[in-house]
Amino acid sequence: MFSTAARLKERQGRSGTSRLEYLQALVTEFQTTQDEEAKEQIVANLANFAYDPINYDYMRKLNVFELFLDCLTEENAKLIDFGMGGLCNAAADPVNAAGIATADNIPLIVDCLSSPVESTILSALACLYYICTPRTRSLILTPNLLESINCFAADSCPTPCLRNLALCFMRQHVGPAPAPESNASLGRN
């Protein structure tokens, strides 16, 4: 459920922490802690805040989307997954998408398509769906990416959610998928 400014104020109480202060505290804790589990929890929390448009201005001000992008370069699969999830949650917003979709960032997102973690792949593909625009099309729709998406869209893909998302991506950004050839059209019966 999306929040409103009035609802945030009500939840904050008279002397409570504002949303901006709370998010700042999370970012600061992420930057100062050495505990990997704590970092994972913080990025997961920030990713959950990234779904609600009321948080976007705060997150942009605090460079949270850059923090998510930095997570994509980590060795820790959970940090990568939560960072990619946060980017995916925020990418539906055109302002966020424009900030995410840079020549330096797109390869980081594309690399997540080869993750062994299914949720990372789904988040990466959904994020690419949102950030693929006429301006970014040539950076995103590379032959290697299209080959990967074609594999995901194939009937042999074992994950229906991934297959459906890949098909949606192809329809939206590449064009309709070719109809499967029937035995009759191949001259076989």
Side-chain angles (χ1 to χ4, degrees), residues 72-73 80 84 104-116 120-121 124 128 145:
L72 302 186
T73 65
I80 295 168
M84 193 64 253
D104 291 336
N105 297 341
I106 290 171
L108 296 173
I109 297 166
V110 170
D111 285 349
C112 289
L113 293 174
S114 60
S115 171
T120 302
I121 297 168
L128 290 167
L145 177 89

Side-chain angles (χ1 to χ4, degrees), residues 31-143:
Q31 293 169 336
T32 58
T33 189
Q34 299 301 313
D35 183 347
E36 283 293 304
E37 276 189 51
K39 284 186 174 202
E40 292 166 3
Q41 290 176 347
I42 293 164
V43 176
N45 285 332
L46 288 169
N48 285 335
F49 282 105
Y51 82 90
D52 193 338
I54 201 158
N55 297 317
Y56 292 163
D57 286 336
Y58 305 136
M59 297 183 100
R60 286 190 287 263
K61 181 177 181 176
L62 298 171
N63 297 315
V64 172
F65 303 125
E66 287 79 4
L67 184 148
F68 291 150
L69 287 159
D70 287 344
C71 287
L72 302 186
T73 65
E74 296 288 332
E75 296 293 320
N76 182 323
K78 287 185 178 181
L79 284 178
I80 295 168
D81 188 39
F82 298 144
M84 193 64 253
L87 292 170
C88 177
N89 286 347
D93 177 79
V95 174
N96 295 339
I100 294 166
T102 68
D104 291 336
N105 297 341
I106 290 171
L108 296 173
I109 297 166
V110 170
D111 285 349
C112 289
L113 293 174
S114 60
S115 171
V117 181
E118 185 177 296
S119 58
T120 302
I121 297 168
L122 287 165
S123 293
L125 187 53
C127 185
L128 290 167
Y129 179 93
Y130 286 118
I131 67 172
C132 189
T133 65
R135 181 181 65 82
T136 61
R137 191 175 175 80
S138 64
L139 296 170
I140 294 174
L141 298 180
T142 64

